[in-house]
């Protein structure tokens, strides 16, 4: 459990001033604030500085204006929610990339929250670790749910009995996520997956600078030098080839100010991003 000081510091990062009772409305407020103010990112992995997915360390990342990916984000958020009085469960998940089959491989940590409502228990899908979805918690009940310009689907998983599936609004980087029904009690299940993502030469993120977040009207993504803005009526892509502009977008749009990187380290990070971008363009014949 978090201390009261840690709770207040975490909420301050989210732009929330007061501790409130563990209601549905506060859960929605917390979720919106988290995905809008704390991005999903591969920055530390790309920089060769991966950090632990220990829950207390992940909480400190959030408090100290840093971030991470699903294990850090959902891990820390679950600790905050439990400390606020919510009933939270961890679940094994698997993200389905475009062109591949559904799976539950523990490369994603999913959350559900149970709320008591008029003598009945309601379960909600809570996920601040998917980058560009969802903006709010979703009922763990089959249906289509509109959130801003996007419509997400919840259905029964075809991968595991009694599991569920969260479907993205296409076009998107991935099609959907499947979740196993049983609760996971500690992070041991996910440690080997984090080791693969953060240290393996075969990891898709070792050479991929990627940062994403949601907001009420859409989403933003910075993939190397390409800033993608997805909104209600259009999808726009902007190529950034200037270091100062790149840092400005990181800070102003995503709230990522690289607080634990020196000026030299930021310069090295930009040079690697630009080099990879130029090699990518060359491979595409541009």
């Amino acid at each position: 459990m978090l201390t009261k000081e840690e709770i207040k510091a975490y909420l301050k990062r989210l732009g929330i001033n007061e501790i409130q009772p563990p209601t549905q409305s506060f859960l929605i407020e917390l979720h919106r604030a988290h995905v809008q103010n704390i991005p999903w990112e591969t920055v530390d992995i790309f920089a060769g500085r991966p950090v632990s997915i220990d829950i207390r360390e992940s909480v400190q990342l959030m408090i100290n204006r840093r971030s991470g990916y699903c294990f850090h984000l959902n891990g820390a958020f679950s600790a905050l929610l439990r400390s606020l009085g919510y009933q939270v469960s961890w679940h094994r998940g698997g993200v389905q990339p475009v062109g591949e089959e559904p799976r539950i491989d523990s490369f994603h940590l999913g959350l559900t929250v149970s709320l008591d409502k008029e003598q009945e228990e309601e379960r909600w899908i809570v996920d601040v670790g998917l980058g560009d979805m969802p903006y709010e918690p979703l009922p763990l009940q089959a249906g289509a749910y509109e959130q801003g310009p996007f419509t997400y689907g919840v259905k029964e998983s075809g991968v595991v009995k009694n599991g569920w599936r969260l479907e993205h609004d296409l076009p998107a980087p991935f099609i959907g996520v499947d979740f196993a029904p049983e609760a996971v009690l500690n992070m041991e299940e996910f440690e080997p997956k984090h080791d693969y993502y953060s240290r393996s030469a075969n990891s898709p993120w070792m050479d991929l600078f990627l940062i994403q977040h949601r907001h009420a009207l859409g989403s933003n993504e910075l993939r190397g030098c390409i800033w993608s803005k997805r909104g209600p009526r259009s999808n726009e892509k902007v190529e950034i080839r200037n270091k100062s502009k790149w840092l400005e977008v990181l800070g102003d749009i995503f709230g990522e100010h690289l607080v634990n990187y020196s000026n030299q380290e930021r310069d090295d990070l930009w040079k690697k991003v630009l080099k990879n971008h130029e090699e990518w363009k060359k491979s595409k014949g541009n």
Side-chain angles (χ1 to χ4, degrees):
M1 301 290 281
L2 277 60
T3 65
K4 191 168 185 179
E5 290 71 24
E6 288 174 326
I7 293 173
K8 288 182 176 179
Y10 202 144
L11 292 179
K12 183 179 179 180
R13 173 82 192 274
L14 301 182
I16 296 174
N17 297 322
E18 297 182 1
I19 297 174
Q20 302 176 33
T23 61
Q24 178 184 325
S25 60
F26 191 39
L27 178 64
I28 293 172
E29 181 182 354
L30 289 164
H31 197 289
R32 288 174 174 173
H34 209 292
V35 296
Q36 186 156 322
N37 292 293
I38 306 183
W40 181 103
E41 61 181 51
T42 64
V43 176
D44 288 338
I45 294 175
F46 180 81
R49 298 167 53 171
V51 294
S52 166
I53 59 172
D54 174 81
I55 297 300
R56 297 207 64 83
E57 292 187 38
S58 293
V59 168
Q60 292 305 311
L61 287 180
M62 308 305 136
I63 290 175
N64 292 302
R65 304 201 65 77
R66 298 183 60 198
S67 189
Y69 68 109
C70 69
F71 298 139
H72 306 103
L73 296 165
N74 282 339
F77 193 45
S78 68
L80 174 64
L81 293 177
R82 285 170 175 159
S83 299
L84 290 170
Y86 289 98
Q87 299 177 53
V88 185
S89 297
W90 292 349
H91 301 272
R92 297 185 304 112
V95 176
Q96 179 189 3
V98 175
E100 298 188 26
E101 294 298 314
R103 77 286 304 271
I104 295 177
D105 53 12
S106 300
F107 274 102
H108 183 71
L109 164 63
L111 308 177
T112 55
V113 169
S114 297
L115 295 173
D116 293 328
K117 197 166 185 179
E118 297 181 358
Q119 299 181 340
E120 291 186 4
E121 182 183 79
E122 288 186 352
R123 296 183 70 197
W124 291 78
I125 300 170
V126 171
D127 208 313
V128 298
L130 283 171
D132 64 345
M133 76 167 301
Y135 183 53
E136 301 174 351
L138 292 162
L140 186 46
Q141 182 176 342
Y145 300 93
E146 292 185 9
Q147 294 188 356
F150 309 133
T151 299
Y152 303 127
V154 176
K155 61 188 293 187
E156 183 178 348
S157 173
V159 178
V160 62
K161 185 178 180 180
N162 297 323
W164 59 92
R165 177 174 172 83
L166 175 58
E167 295 193 320
H168 212 332
D169 190 334
L170 301 177
F174 59 92
I175 298 173
V177 191
D178 285 84
F179 298 92
E182 66 275 6
V184 177
L185 300 180
N186 56 59
M187 294 296 285
E188 290 181 8
E189 171 73 22
F190 306 104
E191 288 284 358
K193 312 303 181 180
H194 174 61
D195 286 342
Y196 174 83
Y197 269 145
S198 59
R199 294 179 174 85
S200 172
N202 296 319
S203 167
W205 297 344
M206 294 295 286
D207 286 313
L208 175 62
F209 184 97
L210 181 60
I211 183 168
Q212 304 169 318
H213 83 140
R214 265 296 317 257
H215 55 85
L217 299 177
S219 64
N220 283 287
E221 173 187 285
L222 185 62
R223 185 179 294 261
C225 292
I226 303 296
W227 174 20
S228 300
K229 296 176 276 186
R230 192 176 180 196
R233 292 173 294 277
S234 65
N235 298 326
E236 180 183 358
K237 292 184 182 294
V238 178
E239 182 182 21
I240 303 174
R241 297 185 61 85
N242 177 278
K243 175 189 170 186
S244 61
K245 178 63 176 178
W246 186 76
L247 290 172
E248 178 185 316
V249 169
L250 271 181
D252 293 349
I253 302 301
F254 297 94
E256 175 51 80
H257 297 278
L258 301 175
V259 293
N260 62 319
Y261 288 81
S262 67
N263 288 335
Q264 182 60 57
E265 289 168 336
R266 294 178 189 182
D267 190 55
D268 291 342
L269 197 61
W270 164 248
K271 287 177 179 177
K272 183 179 178 182
V273 166
L274 184 60
K275 178 176 178 290
N276 286 1
H277 179 68
E278 290 173 342
E279 290 176 351
W280 172 77
K281 289 189 72 174
K282 186 177 180 180
S283 72
K284 297 295 183 180
N286 296 331

